[in-house]
Coordinates of all heavy atoms in Angstrom, one line a residue:
K1 N 0.9 -1.2 0.1 CA -0.1 0.1 0.0 C 0.9 1.3 0.0 O 2.2 1.2 0.2 CB -0.9 0.0 1.2 CG -0.2 0.0 2.5 CD -1.1 0.2 3.8 CE -0.3 0.2 5.1 NZ -1.3 0.1 6.3
D2 N 0.2 2.2 -0.3 CA 0.9 3.7 -0.2 C -0.1 4.4 0.9 O -1.2 4.8 0.6 CB 0.9 4.4 -1.5 CG 1.5 5.8 -1.4 OD1 1.7 6.3 -0.3 OD2 2.1 6.3 -2.4
E3 N 0.6 4.9 2.0 CA -0.4 5.4 3.0 C 0.5 6.5 3.8 O 1.7 6.3 4.2 CB -0.7 4.3 4.1 CG -1.6 4.8 5.2 CD -2.1 3.6 6.2 OE1 -3.1 3.0 5.8 OE2 -1.4 3.4 7.1
M4 N -0.1 7.6 3.8 CA 0.5 8.8 4.5 C 2.0 9.1 3.8 O 2.8 9.5 4.5 CB 0.7 8.6 5.9 CG -0.7 8.5 6.6 SD -1.7 9.9 6.6 CE -0.8 10.9 7.6
G5 N 2.0 8.8 2.5 CA 3.3 9.1 1.8 C 4.3 8.1 2.0 O 5.4 8.1 1.5
I6 N 4.0 6.9 2.7 CA 4.9 5.8 2.9 C 4.5 4.8 2.0 O 3.4 4.3 1.9 CB 5.0 5.5 4.3 CG1 5.2 6.5 5.3 CG2 5.9 4.2 4.6 CD1 5.1 6.2 6.8
L7 N 5.6 4.2 1.3 CA 5.4 3.1 0.4 C 5.6 1.7 1.1 O 6.8 1.6 1.7 CB 6.2 3.1 -0.9 CG 6.2 2.0 -1.8 CD1 4.9 1.8 -2.4 CD2 7.4 2.2 -2.9
Y8 N 4.8 0.9 1.2 CA 5.0 -0.4 1.9 C 4.9 -1.6 0.9 O 4.1 -1.7 -0.1 CB 3.8 -0.7 2.8 CG 3.7 0.2 3.9 CD1 2.8 1.4 3.9 CD2 4.5 0.0 5.1 CE1 2.8 2.2 5.1 CE2 4.4 0.8 6.2 CZ 3.6 2.0 6.1 OH 3.6 2.8 7.2
R9 N 6.0 -2.3 0.9 CA 6.2 -3.5 0.0 C 6.8 -4.6 0.9 O 7.3 -4.5 2.0 CB 7.2 -3.2 -1.1 CG 6.8 -2.2 -2.1 CD 7.9 -1.9 -3.1 NE 8.9 -1.2 -2.5 CZ 10.2 -1.0 -3.1 NH1 10.4 -1.5 -4.3 NH2 11.2 -0.3 -2.5
T10 N 6.8 -5.9 0.3 CA 7.3 -7.0 1.0 C 8.3 -7.7 0.0 O 7.8 -8.0 -1.2 CB 6.3 -8.1 1.5 OG1 5.5 -7.4 2.5 CG2 7.0 -9.3 2.2
A11 N 9.6 -8.0 0.4 CA 10.5 -8.8 -0.4 C 10.6 -10.2 0.1 O 10.9 -10.4 1.2 CB 11.8 -8.1 -0.3
F12 N 10.2 -11.2 -0.8 CA 10.4 -12.5 -0.5 C 11.7 -13.1 -1.0 O 11.8 -13.0 -2.2 CB 9.1 -13.4 -1.1 CG 7.8 -12.8 -0.4 CD1 7.1 -11.8 -1.0 CD2 7.3 -13.5 0.7 CE1 5.9 -11.4 -0.5 CE2 6.1 -13.1 1.3 CZ 5.4 -12.1 0.7
F13 N 12.4 -13.9 -0.3 CA 13.6 -14.6 -0.7 C 13.3 -15.8 -1.6 O 14.0 -16.1 -2.5 CB 14.5 -14.9 0.4 CG 15.2 -13.7 0.9 CD1 14.6 -13.1 2.0 CD2 16.3 -13.3 0.3 CE1 15.2 -11.9 2.5 CE2 17.1 -12.1 0.9 CZ 16.4 -11.4 1.9
D14 N 12.2 -16.6 -1.3 CA 11.9 -17.7 -2.1 C 10.4 -18.0 -1.9 O 10.0 -19.0 -1.2 CB 12.7 -18.9 -1.8 CG 12.7 -20.1 -2.8 OD1 11.9 -20.0 -3.7 OD2 13.4 -21.1 -2.7
I15 N 9.6 -17.3 -2.5 CA 8.1 -17.4 -2.3 C 7.6 -18.6 -3.0 O 6.5 -19.2 -2.6 CB 7.3 -16.1 -2.9 CG1 6.0 -16.1 -2.3 CG2 7.4 -16.2 -4.5 CD1 5.2 -14.8 -2.7
M16 N 8.3 -19.1 -3.9 CA 7.9 -20.5 -4.6 C 7.8 -21.7 -3.5 O 7.2 -22.6 -3.6 CB 8.8 -20.7 -5.7 CG 9.0 -19.7 -6.7 SD 7.7 -19.5 -7.7 CE 8.3 -18.6 -9.0
K17 N 8.7 -21.5 -2.5 CA 8.9 -22.7 -1.5 C 8.3 -22.3 -0.2 O 7.8 -23.1 0.5 CB 10.4 -23.1 -1.4 CG 11.0 -23.7 -2.7 CD 12.5 -24.1 -2.4 CE 13.1 -24.7 -3.8 NZ 14.5 -24.9 -3.4
S18 N 8.6 -21.0 0.3 CA 8.3 -20.6 1.6 C 8.1 -19.1 1.7 O 8.7 -18.4 1.0 CB 9.3 -21.0 2.6 OG 9.2 -20.6 3.9
R19 N 7.3 -18.8 2.7 CA 7.1 -17.4 3.1 C 7.8 -17.0 4.3 O 7.6 -16.0 4.9 CB 5.5 -17.0 3.0 CG 4.8 -17.1 1.7 CD 3.4 -16.5 1.8 NE 2.9 -16.5 0.5 CZ 1.7 -15.9 0.3 NH1 1.1 -15.1 1.3 NH2 1.1 -15.9 -1.0
A20 N 8.7 -17.8 4.7 CA 9.2 -17.5 6.0 C 10.5 -16.8 6.0 O 10.9 -16.2 7.0 CB 9.6 -18.9 6.5
K21 N 11.0 -16.4 4.7 CA 12.1 -15.5 4.7 C 11.7 -14.3 3.9 O 11.6 -14.4 2.6 CB 13.4 -16.3 4.0 CG 13.9 -17.4 4.9 CD 15.2 -18.0 4.3 CE 15.0 -18.6 3.0 NZ 16.2 -19.4 2.5
K22 N 11.6 -13.2 4.7 CA 11.1 -12.0 3.8 C 11.6 -10.7 4.6 O 11.9 -10.8 5.7 CB 9.6 -12.0 3.6 CG 8.8 -12.3 4.9 CD 7.4 -12.8 4.5 CE 6.8 -13.4 5.8 NZ 5.4 -14.0 5.4
V23 N 11.4 -9.5 3.8 CA 11.6 -8.3 4.6 C 10.4 -7.5 4.1 O 10.0 -7.2 3.0 CB 13.0 -7.6 3.9 CG1 13.1 -6.2 4.6 CG2 14.1 -8.6 4.2
D24 N 9.9 -6.9 5.3 CA 8.8 -5.9 5.1 C 9.6 -4.5 4.9 O 10.3 -4.1 5.7 CB 7.8 -5.9 6.3 CG 7.2 -7.2 6.4 OD1 6.6 -7.7 5.5 OD2 6.9 -7.7 7.6
M25 N 9.1 -3.8 3.8 CA 9.8 -2.5 3.5 C 8.9 -1.4 3.7 O 7.6 -1.4 3.3 CB 10.2 -2.7 2.1 CG 11.1 -3.9 1.8 SD 11.0 -4.4 0.0 CE 12.0 -2.9 -0.6
A26 N 9.4 -0.3 4.2 CA 8.6 1.0 4.2 C 9.6 2.1 3.7 O 10.6 2.4 4.3 CB 8.1 1.3 5.6
D27 N 9.3 2.8 2.5 CA 10.2 3.9 2.0 C 9.5 5.0 2.2 O 8.4 5.4 2.0 CB 10.2 3.6 0.5 CG 11.1 2.4 0.1 OD1 11.3 1.6 1.0 OD2 11.6 2.3 -1.0
I28 N 10.3 6.0 2.9 CA 9.9 7.4 3.1 C 10.8 8.3 2.3 O 12.1 8.3 2.4 CB 10.0 7.8 4.5 CG1 9.1 6.9 5.3 CG2 9.5 9.2 4.7 CD1 9.2 7.0 6.9
E29 N 10.4 9.0 1.2 CA 11.1 9.9 0.4 C 11.6 11.2 1.0 O 10.7 11.8 1.8 CB 10.3 10.1 -1.0 CG 9.6 9.1 -1.6 CD 10.5 7.8 -1.7 OE1 11.9 7.9 -1.9 OE2 10.0 6.8 -1.8
V30 N 12.8 11.4 0.9 CA 13.5 12.6 1.5 C 14.4 13.3 0.5 O 14.6 12.7 -0.6 CB 14.4 12.3 2.7 CG1 13.5 11.6 3.9 CG2 15.5 11.5 2.4
P31 N 14.9 14.5 0.7 CA 15.7 15.2 -0.3 C 17.0 14.3 -0.6 O 17.5 13.8 0.3 CB 16.0 16.5 0.5 CG 14.9 16.8 1.3 CD 14.4 15.5 1.8
F32 N 17.2 14.1 -1.8 CA 18.4 13.4 -2.4 C 18.2 11.7 -2.2 O 19.2 11.0 -2.5 CB 19.7 13.8 -1.7 CG 20.0 15.1 -2.0 CD1 19.8 16.3 -1.1 CD2 20.4 15.5 -3.4 CE1 20.1 17.4 -1.5 CE2 20.8 16.8 -3.8 CZ 20.7 17.8 -2.7
G33 N 17.1 11.3 -1.5 CA 17.1 9.9 -1.4 C 15.8 9.3 -0.6 O 14.8 9.9 -0.7
T34 N 16.1 8.2 0.2 CA 15.0 7.6 0.8 C 15.5 7.1 2.2 O 16.6 6.7 2.4 CB 14.7 6.2 0.1 OG1 14.3 6.5 -1.3 CG2 13.5 5.6 0.7
L35 N 14.4 7.3 3.1 CA 14.6 6.8 4.4 C 14.0 5.4 4.5 O 12.7 5.3 4.1 CB 13.9 7.7 5.5 CG 13.9 7.2 7.0 CD1 15.3 7.1 7.5 CD2 13.0 8.0 7.9
R36 N 14.8 4.3 4.8 CA 14.4 3.0 4.5 C 14.0 2.4 5.9 O 15.0 2.4 6.8 CB 15.3 2.2 3.8 CG 15.6 2.7 2.5 CD 16.5 1.7 1.6 NE 16.4 2.3 0.2 CZ 15.6 2.1 -0.7 NH1 14.5 1.5 -0.3 NH2 15.7 2.6 -1.9
V37 N 12.9 1.8 6.1 CA 12.5 1.3 7.4 C 12.2 -0.1 7.1 O 11.1 -0.4 6.3 CB 11.2 1.9 8.1 CG1 11.0 1.2 9.4 CG2 11.6 3.4 8.3
D38 N 12.9 -1.1 7.6 CA 12.7 -2.5 7.2 C 12.5 -3.4 8.5 O 12.9 -3.2 9.6 CB 14.0 -3.0 6.5 CG 14.3 -2.5 5.2 OD1 13.4 -2.1 4.6 OD2 15.5 -2.2 5.1
R39 N 11.5 -4.3 8.3 CA 11.3 -5.4 9.3 C 11.6 -6.6 8.8 O 11.0 -7.1 7.8 CB 9.7 -5.3 9.7 CG 9.5 -6.3 10.8 CD 8.1 -6.2 11.4 NE 7.1 -6.5 10.3 CZ 5.8 -6.5 10.5 NH1 5.2 -6.1 11.7 NH2 4.9 -6.8 9.6
V40 N 12.6 -7.3 9.4 CA 13.1 -8.6 8.9 C 12.4 -9.8 9.5 O 12.3 -9.8 10.8 CB 14.6 -8.7 9.1 CG1 15.2 -10.0 8.4 CG2 15.3 -7.5 8.6

């Protein structure tokens, strides 16, 4: 989703076999780049 200017995505390492290895991602745009908030 995109909520309050924050982009939420999930990165799966091997979704074909398991959903047990992933990173929840939240991107907040700032001047010259991105503030990255990850939950492993």
Side-chain angles (χ1 to χ4, degrees):
K1 63 180 178 178
D2 182 337
E3 184 175 270
M4 301 295 290
I6 303 174
L7 173 66
Y8 294 94
R9 296 173 291 169
T10 298
F12 296 89
F13 284 93
D14 193 352
I15 197 172
M16 304 290 191
K17 296 180 180 178
S18 168
R19 293 190 177 189
K21 294 189 291 187
K22 51 197 165 186
V23 178
D24 296 319
M25 309 157 62
D27 286 19
I28 303 170
E29 312 309 334
V30 301
F32 296 105
T34 302
L35 177 66
R36 301 189 173 281
V37 184
D38 297 321
R39 181 175 65 183
V40 186

